[in-house]
Structure formats: C-alpha cells, structure tokens
Amino acid sequence: MAYRILIIDDDPLICELVEKTLKREGFATNWVNSAEDGLVELRQSQYDLIVMDVGLPGLSGIKTCEILRQNPATSQIPIIMLTAEDSEKAKVTGLRTGADDYVTKPLSPAEFTARVHAVLRRVKQAGQPSRVFEAGGIRVDVERHEVFLKGKPVELRKKEFDLLCLFLERKERVLTRQAILEALWGDQVITEHTLEVHINNLREKLASLSHCLKTIPGVGYKFQP
C-alpha cells in the first residue's frame, strides 16, 4: 500500500504543488490549510509522513510539531517542515522541536522528493513497528502484507489488500467512490465499474464477514464490523 502523506499549508498553491509532486512518486496524499484541521485529520486517519509549513496562521508549525511529538499516537510520525526562511537559526529551531527535515521555499521538486524518500527510508531502517489493523475478526499486518480472517490466512491481490487497509483504517466512515479511486489509483483513469469488481472480489474473500463491507447507495462504501 502506498505511503500516506498529510500536507499542512495555508497556501493552496503550495499544497497543490506538493501534492502533484508526491503523487508522481506514487504516494497517497491529503491536504488541509491549518494546523487545527491537521490535528483533527490526524485523530481520524493514520499517516506515514507529515509535510508542514512553519508559518501557519493561528497555531504555528513549530508549536504543532511540539504537540505531535508529545502525543504517543503521533510522536513517531516523521515530519518535514517547509519554510520561506532560509536561516540556520530557523532550521535548528525546527529540528530541535522534533522535525525530521527542513525544506525551504520555493521548492525544488527533485530535491523535495529526494528528502521525502530519505526520511521514509530512515524511518523504515529504524525498525518502526508494523502497522496492524484489527476489526471484526480481521487482522491485517501492513508491512508483512498478511491478512487473517478469524485466525486463518487470506490471500488478497494488491488492490484488494489496499482496499481492505483503507476500509479498516477508516472503519465506520463512509468513503465516496471518488475518494477511494484517488487514494488507490491517484491520477490514473479508472472507472467505477473497475472499483465495483475489486469490491465484489474483496467481499467474496471476506466470506462470512462480507456483510461488514456495506454499500451506501449513491455515495460509496463503509466498513462496519
């Protein structure tokens, strides 16, 4: 499953640039325009990396970084800070607060993606514990790409596996068809019929728990254990 990256910046143009750059590298992205919205999003969903502007209005990026590092649920998520201030003092402040790297604006897409890959590689090499989802008798180990249904292994194809992870990560929340397509296929042109085929295949393999994957007519789907 693609790494999920949250972008927090009050400039929509920067958000769009960062998102476009990351999607070209195969990452799944989401963006918000304030630290407050970012904290809400992080309570609702899991992310592998945060790209955050230092000079956010209201709650600053530095203060937000401190809050994230003090919370056990977010303390291990790597953070790359964005800033227009190219000074040693600003970088040191950000790094001491708990940021993993510091990138100055205007962004160089090549340098930025290299830094993103480097941070994610360091985290992986540091041996972070595997992400595991459990709900309704289903257990998924993301890093090991393993699925167990009531203790028995289940073989899923890649997109089926990614779908299941997405549903478990956001269980009991309605996901629109468009949101699912963007999360799993990015900018690729995929029809809703193709999505329905993957959904039906996943239901078949979930067997007795297929009823947990509910269709919300005219909207999308919801996993409710």
Side-chain angles (χ1 to χ4, degrees):
M1 188 174 183
Y3 283 109
R4 301 190 69 239
I5 300 177
L6 178 63
I7 305 159
I8 307 176
D9 198 301
D10 62 313
D11 186 340
L13 294 179
I14 293 293
C15 290
E16 291 174 4
L17 172 62
V18 172
E19 181 175 60
K20 183 178 180 180
T21 301
L22 292 173
K23 282 189 172 182
R24 279 202 302 263
E25 296 294 309
F27 297 115
T29 64
N30 189 19
W31 57 274
V32 295
N33 293 130
S34 70
E36 291 81 2
D37 287 344
L39 293 174
V40 171
E41 177 64 24
L42 288 163
R43 285 196 294 269
Q44 296 176 341
S45 303
Q46 291 185 320
Y47 287 89
D48 301 293
L49 174 68
I50 299 166
V51 176
M52 180 166 55
D53 182 32
V54 170
L56 292 168
L59 195 62
S60 71
I62 296 294
K63 184 60 179 179
T64 304
C65 188
E66 292 177 350
I67 292 172
L68 294 173
R69 288 296 176 248
Q70 292 168 4
N71 183 346
T74 57
S75 63
Q76 299 302 314
I77 303 176
I79 299 172
I80 294 179
M81 305 292 281
L82 302 179
T83 182
E85 184 179 353
D86 187 14
S87 72
E88 183 177 359
K89 181 179 179 180
K91 293 179 180 180
V92 169
T93 300
L95 295 171
R96 284 181 175 174
T97 304
D100 295 83
D101 204 347
Y102 218 90
V103 179
T104 56
K105 302 175 184 178
L107 297 179
S108 161
E111 178 188 1
F112 175 65
T113 54
R115 288 177 178 270
V116 168
H117 282 293
V119 168
L120 290 172
R121 188 165 53 249
R122 289 201 300 268
V123 170
K124 187 174 182 179
Q125 291 173 346
Q128 293 294 326
S130 296
R131 291 171 59 194
V132 175
F133 299 123
E134 294 186 82
I138 299 173
R139 185 178 190 276
V140 177
D141 188 316
V142 178
E143 296 299 327
R144 295 182 179 180
H145 207 279
E146 294 177 341
V147 180
F148 293 90
L149 181 61
K150 297 181 178 179
K152 296 182 179 180
V154 178
E155 294 294 329
L156 297 181
R157 293 182 177 179
K158 185 180 185 306
K159 287 302 181 185
E160 295 165 357
F161 181 85
D162 291 349
L163 265 174
L164 181 58
C165 288
L166 186 64
F167 282 123
L168 291 178
E169 183 179 39
R170 307 185 191 184
K171 60 180 180 291
E172 301 187 13
R173 293 173 58 190
V174 176
L175 298 177
T176 66
R177 293 177 177 84
Q178 187 61 35
I180 296 172
L181 290 172
E182 289 180 0
L184 269 62
W185 283 277
D187 294 331
Q188 297 180 50
V189 179
I190 302 295
T191 66
E192 291 189 4
H193 173 70
T194 299
L195 173 60
E196 290 172 3
V197 170
H198 286 291
I199 293 285
N200 290 334
N201 289 343
L202 181 57
R203 281 182 172 138
E204 287 182 9
K205 294 181 179 181
L206 292 181
S208 61
L209 293 180
S210 61
H211 65 281
C212 295
L213 184 46
K214 302 180 183 296
T215 299
I216 311 300
V219 182
Y221 303 92
K222 175 173 68 171
F223 187 86
Q224 187 171 349

